[in-house]
Structure formats: structure tokens, C-alpha cells
Amino acid sequence: MTLTVQDIGEQGLLKRVQAFCPRAVVGDDAAVLPTEPGKSIVITSDVLVDGVHFSDRTTPPKAAGWRAIAANLSDLAAMGASPLGITVGLGLPKTTPVEWVEKLYQGMADCLNQYGGALVGGDLCRSPVITVAITAFGQVDPTRVIQRSTAQPGDAIFVTGFHGSSRAGLEMLLNSDPAPKRASLIRAHQYPIPRFDIPQLTSRVSGMDSSDGLADAVLQICRMSGVGAKLDRALIPIDPALKQWVTPEKAMEWALYGGEDFQLVLCLPQEEAKLWVEQVSGSAIVGQITSDLAVRLIDSSGEFSDRTLSLDQGFQHFQK
């Protein structure tokens, strides 16, 4: 018989999830996180809902836990910050198996163990649907904060890796197409990697992560900086497994608007960007910031027509 959270109650469940936390920082009303002199605290929050952000059909509980942490760590990385700690607010139906919860937390712990930070607290409550609310805390040198509002005409647009892979992995899982040669796409969806591997900042860098797609990231940066951009479709890094599976147009659409790749999209001077490409495996310069406010997808090969990109072409939570 499956043991459920109703069987062990709130206190019993708390004992189990607290096993994933450092003993020294749990048990009080709040966690105390030491930081270094001359550092600024960075805080980000994210809410994930069963049936919207994950489901048993596409995301086992361990992968759901990993993704929940990776999404928040990616926000810290996009600010130039390093992780300190994570709190988790968890809403559960009372019939949720205890094993499901433990696997969720194991996925969280695995991601934190690999990329930094610790699970330092949170809250549990009854809910009609599984809901995971994450708050992540990080620290950054205030002189090295990455913001969206500092891109300048002439900057290179640098990305840390493949785009479109997570959306492709999701489509495979929804359509029961787990071909071994495309395992990289499924892994990209279930176990995304927060990008803390960019070089030390030595000059002005603007940027964000591509949690809502490459096009969304570039458009948001341009809107905040009062600039435009040209993206060259031939330069956008796409996993060869994706190129072999769908048409070039479909692959490009998922790269631009698929989302949840959690790569970094950064704008910085051209010469430094070229040095970064040599240091960050799989990265690429995909375009340039312009003084023209439009954001355009161009095709240097002439095979496809140029197009203007906009925010309303991607996923929006409350769209019709």
C-alpha cells in the first residue's frame, strides 16, 4: 500500500524533507545566511504548478525537483550571482505519495550539490494541486551585477549553448518518442543546467537567461536598454539531434520561442565576446545590438526571409 502524506501528517513529512537541509539552519522561524563583506544579496522567486510546468507524463518527481532548482539558479546566474540558499513552499494534495515528495527533494538536493547553495527552509500546506514555490538567495559583487538595461549598439549578442532543445524534449515526451539518438533533447527538458560557467566579467555586460526563449530574452534586453538587435538564424546554436528530427523552420521556432533552455543571453563588446566563445564550450555569437529599435531575425545565407520578432509570438500564461 502506498504511504501518503495524509498517513504521516505535516510533522512526519517535515521530518522527512528536513533531512535534505543542513541541520544547523533548520528548526527556527527563519534561516540565517552569512554573506561576505562588499557583496549584495540577490533574491528570485518562481512558482511551478502541476499540469502547467510539469506533469507525471513528462517529468518524474526527481526531474521536477531538479528543474525547480535549476530554473531559480539560472536566474541567479543571469545576474552574475553565486547561490547561497533555497527555500521551498510546497502545496500538496493529501493523497500525494510520500515517495513522490522524497524523490522531488532528492532532485532538488542533487542540483544544489552540483551547482551550489543549500535547502534552508520553506513551508508545507494542503493544496488541491501540487505547487512548488521556490525562493533563491545569492550574492554578487555590486560592481559585477548583470542587468538587462545596459546593452549598447555594436555589442555582440552571446549565448551559452543550444536553444530549442527543451521544447523538443517536451514534444517527444508528450508524443512517446524517446528515441535513444535524441536522448540529449529529453535530458535538456528534464535536467536543464544553470550556466555558472561564464568567464569573469571584465567590462560592461547586459543580459538575462532564456527561460522564456531566445527571442524573449533579446526583446526584453532591447526594451530595457532602448536599443534593437539583429539575430542571424545561421548562427543560433541548435542541437544536431533537433535538426535531424524536424524541419528547419520548426527547429528555429522552438529555438526562438520554445523556452526553458535556461541558457544565458549576454550583450558585451565584440572583442570580449569572441574571447568568451573560445572559453565556453557550445557558446556562440548570434547577432548584434543596433540603434534601430526593431529586433529582426535575418538570414545571411538568403535562403529565408527576414522577419521582425515580438513578445506576443511566444508563450504567455494568460493569453487566450
Side-chain angles (χ1 to χ4, degrees):
M1 182 176 178
T2 300
L3 187 68
T4 69
V5 297
Q6 182 178 22
D7 296 325
I8 63 173
E10 180 181 358
Q11 293 303 314
L13 187 60
L14 275 172
K15 288 181 181 179
R16 292 185 180 236
V17 301
Q18 284 177 348
F20 295 94
C21 307
R23 188 171 298 177
V25 297
V26 295
D28 294 310
D29 289 327
V32 179
L33 302 178
T35 186
E36 301 174 22
K39 297 286 187 179
S40 295
I41 295 292
V42 180
I43 302 171
T44 183
S45 296
D46 202 13
V47 178
L48 298 96
V49 179
D50 188 12
V52 178
H53 300 92
F54 62 91
S55 70
D56 286 339
R57 182 179 175 189
T58 62
T59 320
K62 187 175 179 181
W66 178 288
R67 277 170 51 84
I69 298 301
N72 283 269
L73 293 187
S74 181
D75 284 337
L76 295 182
M79 297 294 295
S82 56
L84 288 173
I86 296 280
T87 62
V88 180
L90 185 62
L92 297 168
K94 60 185 180 181
T95 55
T96 304
V98 172
E99 182 184 21
W100 191 97
V101 179
E102 290 182 316
K103 288 182 177 179
L104 176 80
Y105 274 78
Q106 187 61 62
M108 293 180 183
D110 288 349
C111 190
L112 290 168
N113 289 339
Q114 186 162 344
Y115 296 105
L119 180 58
V120 298
D123 191 27
L124 297 169
C125 70
R126 187 177 64 203
S127 168
V129 62
I130 295 175
T131 305
V132 186
I134 304 288
T135 298
F137 303 84
Q139 64 180 6
V140 65
D141 183 327
T143 66
R144 299 184 182 278
V145 175
I146 298 173
Q147 296 179 299
R148 302 179 185 182
S149 57
T150 60
Q152 296 180 9
D155 282 354
I157 302 172
F158 169 93
V159 299
T160 52
F162 291 145
H163 279 82
S165 298
S166 179
R167 175 60 185 275
L170 174 62
E171 291 294 331
M172 288 180 177
L173 291 163
L174 289 173
N175 294 287
S176 301
D177 184 14
K181 64 182 179 181
R182 301 176 190 137
S184 61
L185 303 177
I186 291 176
R187 185 161 188 85
H189 179 71
Q190 294 183 336
Y191 293 94
I193 296 174
R195 300 305 298 256
F196 289 105
D197 56 338
I198 61 170
Q200 183 79 19
L201 304 184
T202 59
S203 64
R204 170 191 49 79
V205 178
S206 181
M208 60 179 289
D209 78 349
S210 61
S211 55
D212 292 321
L214 174 58
D216 175 89
V218 174
L219 285 156
Q220 298 279 11
I221 293 167
C222 288
R223 184 170 67 174
M224 292 294 293
S225 297
V227 295
K230 291 189 298 184
L231 295 176
D232 189 334
R233 64 181 297 141
L235 301 179
I236 295 172
I238 296 175
D239 191 322
L242 175 52
K243 291 182 178 180
Q244 295 167 9
W245 185 46
V246 297
T247 65
E249 278 299 289
K250 178 62 72 176
M252 183 55 54
E253 200 64 25
W254 286 350
L256 292 171
Y257 291 107
E260 296 189 325
D261 289 301
F262 299 108
Q263 301 291 344
L264 298 186
V265 181
L266 304 171
C267 304
L268 64 159
Q270 292 279 348
E271 292 307 312
E272 186 163 1
K274 292 175 183 177
L275 294 175
W276 282 24
V277 170
E278 296 175 1
Q279 299 176 61
V280 181
S281 177
S283 64
I285 295 172
V286 298
Q288 182 173 319
I289 296 297
T290 66
S291 56
D292 177 4
L293 297 184
V295 176
R296 294 186 175 89
L297 180 69
I298 66 169
D299 179 33
S300 55
S301 71
E303 184 178 355
F304 297 95
S305 300
D306 295 355
R307 58 185 278 201
T308 299
L309 304 178
S310 66
L311 290 173
D312 59 12
Q313 292 172 266
F315 172 79
Q316 301 289 330
H317 274 284
F318 304 108
Q319 64 188 3
K320 293 182 180 179

